[in-house]
Amino acid sequence: MLDKHKRSINYMRISLTDRCNLRCVYCRPEITQMVEHTQILRYEEILRVVKCAVTLGITRFKITGGEPLVRKGAVDFIAKLKQMEGVDQVTLTTNGTLLEKNLPRLLACGIDGINISLDTLDKDLYKHITGGGDVEAVIKAIKAVVQTGIKCKINCVPIKNSYVNNSVNVDKLSPLHNGTKVDNLSQSQTNIVEFAGSMDVPLRFIELMPLACNGNLSSYSGTEIREILYNAGYELRPLKESFGNGPAVYYEASKAGHAQIIGFIEPLHGKFCASCNRVRLTSTGQLKPCLYSQSTSDLRQLLRSSASEEELVEALKDVIYHKPLGHNFEEKPATFNMNEIGG
């Protein structure tokens, strides 16, 4: 379906839960109270929304949270979603801490891709950023995903502000990849760029989205990171290809005979709203035309008031058609409340 700005909307992000087992400094501090379980959409309710969305040409779905794998039955839900008529693609975004144990069943259900958040390989820095997370569990999960052959990408939010011993996660870009595989990862000798390169996994730097809860933080822009890579001896060649459904701009980064894919998602310095193709369903059933939009349609109320399929479809159509042309986060940070946002 086209919105009023003639963008084709074919992609829906679905938040399964507001819960997360991490508390990352750039997205969680504002949240002090979780949503009551009764307010969260049941899996059968989400599948009903998907059925309606498919009739409008939305055939690609991203499962998010919070951390989606903390919700009981998440993988069973993904399996049912994959089996639905008209669904072309189902992918997952996760912090990776619970991924390894769920991987065999995700593989069995035919998951199309997994995006894994990893902001640093430094153990202490990772604990500080995530509120106590174990980076080794994420590293193991990434290696396991690569071995299965499931497509995956690593997402990194490049924070400028100091955390541990005046270090920031982008400092871990150097030393850089030397063309060899990383088998026994040494936290003090390697970094996220060379790790992603050794796994042959695309690495995406995601510019920090300005939120009311992270105003004390700032992010490197794609231009700044590309300059860091260039000064470290990388040759960067822009690519026309896309490696997913999102708005990332990709480069081939080459050094010492090794080439890897690095992407940049820049909601501020490389604003991509004009080509945005997505809507978002929060865990509480609010359909949003933009992740941080204050404009929503309460699908939960419709679902629980015996609304017809036609009424649900009309609600979807209304949100899609009135999708705004762009955000204004560069002027005013968004309020990040999982009760409203949901992934």
Side-chain angles (χ1 to χ4, degrees):
M1 177 178 169
L2 299 180
D3 68 10
K4 65 180 180 180
H5 302 291
K6 307 304 180 183
R7 294 171 296 191
S8 179
I9 310 303
N10 61 5
Y11 181 36
M12 179 182 287
R13 290 178 67 98
I14 300 174
S15 171
L16 296 189
T17 179
D18 65 325
R19 268 71 169 173
C20 186
N21 57 336
L22 300 180
R23 193 174 179 83
C24 295
V25 293
Y26 50 76
C27 72
R28 300 294 293 182
E30 185 178 292
I31 302 164
T32 58
Q33 185 175 358
M34 296 293 103
V35 175
E36 292 183 8
H37 184 70
T38 56
Q39 295 180 287
I40 302 295
L41 285 188
R42 298 185 294 270
Y43 286 134
E44 58 267 26
E45 292 174 324
I46 300 174
L47 292 173
R48 191 177 174 205
V49 173
V50 169
K51 182 180 178 181
C52 295
V54 167
T55 68
L56 299 176
I58 297 175
T59 62
R60 301 177 179 185
F61 299 88
K62 171 76 73 180
I63 306 305
T64 72
E67 168 50 47
L69 295 179
V70 302
R71 181 170 176 180
K72 185 178 180 180
V75 179
D76 292 333
F77 165 76
I78 291 171
K80 291 179 180 179
L81 181 58
K82 275 288 297 179
Q83 294 166 5
M84 286 191 68
E85 184 176 356
V87 172
D88 291 335
Q89 186 183 93
V90 178
T91 56
L92 171 72
T93 291
T94 173
N95 63 36
T97 57
L98 304 174
L99 181 56
E100 188 178 17
K101 69 178 183 180
N102 286 288
L103 195 54
R105 294 175 59 226
L106 287 167
L107 180 64
C109 77
I111 191 79
D112 293 293
I114 302 175
N115 293 351
I116 305 166
S117 298
L118 181 62
D119 296 325
T120 179
L121 298 179
D122 183 280
K123 293 180 180 179
D124 292 334
L125 185 54
Y126 185 84
K127 285 182 179 179
H128 188 87
I129 292 174
T130 62
D134 178 12
V135 71
E136 291 289 354
V138 183
I139 292 169
K140 287 180 61 180
I142 293 171
K143 292 181 177 181
V145 172
V146 170
Q147 290 179 350
T148 67
I150 297 174
K151 292 181 180 180
C152 73
K153 296 187 285 286
I154 296 173
N155 291 338
C156 174
V157 178
I159 301 297
K160 280 186 176 181
N161 302 66
S162 298
Y163 287 122
V164 178
N165 297 326
N166 295 319
S167 175
V168 294
N169 59 344
V170 170
D171 288 341
K172 304 305 176 183
L173 291 173
S174 183
L176 294 166
H177 186 68
N178 61 9
T180 61
K181 292 289 181 180
V182 176
D183 295 319
N184 298 312
L185 189 66
S186 169
Q187 302 291 353
S188 62
Q189 296 175 352
T190 192
N191 62 78
I192 200 165
V193 174
E194 61 184 347
F195 174 64
S198 74
M199 297 288 104
D200 289 324
V201 171
L203 171 63
R204 305 191 305 178
F205 289 104
I206 303 176
E207 186 177 36
L208 182 69
M209 185 70 77
L211 306 173
C213 67
N214 64 24
N216 62 322
L217 303 177
S218 60
S219 174
Y220 283 85
S221 69
T223 298
E224 290 173 311
I225 294 176
R226 287 188 288 273
E227 184 177 357
I228 291 171
L229 293 172
Y230 177 79
N231 290 336
Y234 272 94
E235 294 183 9
L236 298 174
R237 180 174 68 87
L239 298 175
K240 294 182 179 180
E241 300 99 300
S242 177
F243 295 84
N245 299 306
V249 175
Y250 289 95
Y251 289 75
E252 180 183 74
S254 302
K255 185 181 181 184
H258 178 85
Q260 66 185 96
I261 304 301
I262 296 180
F264 299 88
I265 298 177
E266 300 179 80
L268 298 181
H269 291 89
K271 195 170 181 177
F272 46 80
C273 298
S275 60
C276 184
N277 65 339
R278 67 191 64 188
V279 291
R280 303 173 188 259
L281 181 67
T282 75
S283 58
T284 58
Q286 307 305 305
L287 185 65
K288 289 177 168 282
C290 173
L291 176 58
Y292 302 106
S293 173
Q294 298 304 308
S295 173
T296 68
S297 180
D298 189 351
L299 299 189
R300 184 183 64 194
Q301 190 276 330
L302 288 175
L303 289 162
R304 297 182 181 179
S305 63
S306 302
S308 66
E309 299 298 304
E310 290 76 15
E311 289 175 301
L312 285 169
V313 168
E314 286 303 313
L316 284 163
K317 288 171 66 176
D318 185 63
V319 170
I320 293 171
Y321 182 76
H322 291 100
K323 181 178 171 68
L325 184 58
H327 66 69
N328 64 345
F329 304 146
E330 61 269 63
E331 301 171 9
K332 181 181 179 181
T335 299
F336 188 47
N337 185 312
M338 291 298 291
N339 191 16
E340 299 174 352
I341 301 301

